[in-house]
Amino acid sequence: MNCNSDNHQHNCKQTLQRVILALDGELTRDDELQFISDLNICSHCLEKYHIEKEFKLFLTNKIEKKCCTSELKASIRTQLSRLQDGI
């Protein structure tokens, strides 16, 4: 989907692909500035951004963090090492 606003062509697909990267803080400063500019010209993309942001916040609040025992951590590390070594 492409939007036209004030004679500026905007690509919704590209913008929406960057939503998660933006929410995770993984955009470069230049990409972040372009992303914000794109959100400011397209209400559809801005709405999708807010939906994803609220969903991420919801999930973050629902996740219960639990500590693992040292034995469990060691077992996981051993299994990962074996997978990496092709065993």
Side-chain angles (χ1 to χ4, degrees), residues 5 11 56:
S5 177
N11 186 313
K56 183 175 179 173

Side-chain angles (χ1 to χ4, degrees), residues 47-59:
E47 180 182 352
K48 294 292 186 181
Y49 170 78
H50 285 299
I51 290 169
E52 290 294 331
K53 184 177 178 180
E54 288 299 315
F55 183 67
K56 183 175 179 173
L57 181 62
F58 169 78
L59 288 179

Side-chain angles (χ1 to χ4, degrees), residues 69-83:
T69 65
S70 297
E71 293 82 17
L72 178 59
K73 291 177 189 178
S75 173
I76 292 170
R77 285 187 187 110
T78 300
Q79 290 178 28
L80 288 173
S81 292
R82 286 181 182 161
L83 287 173

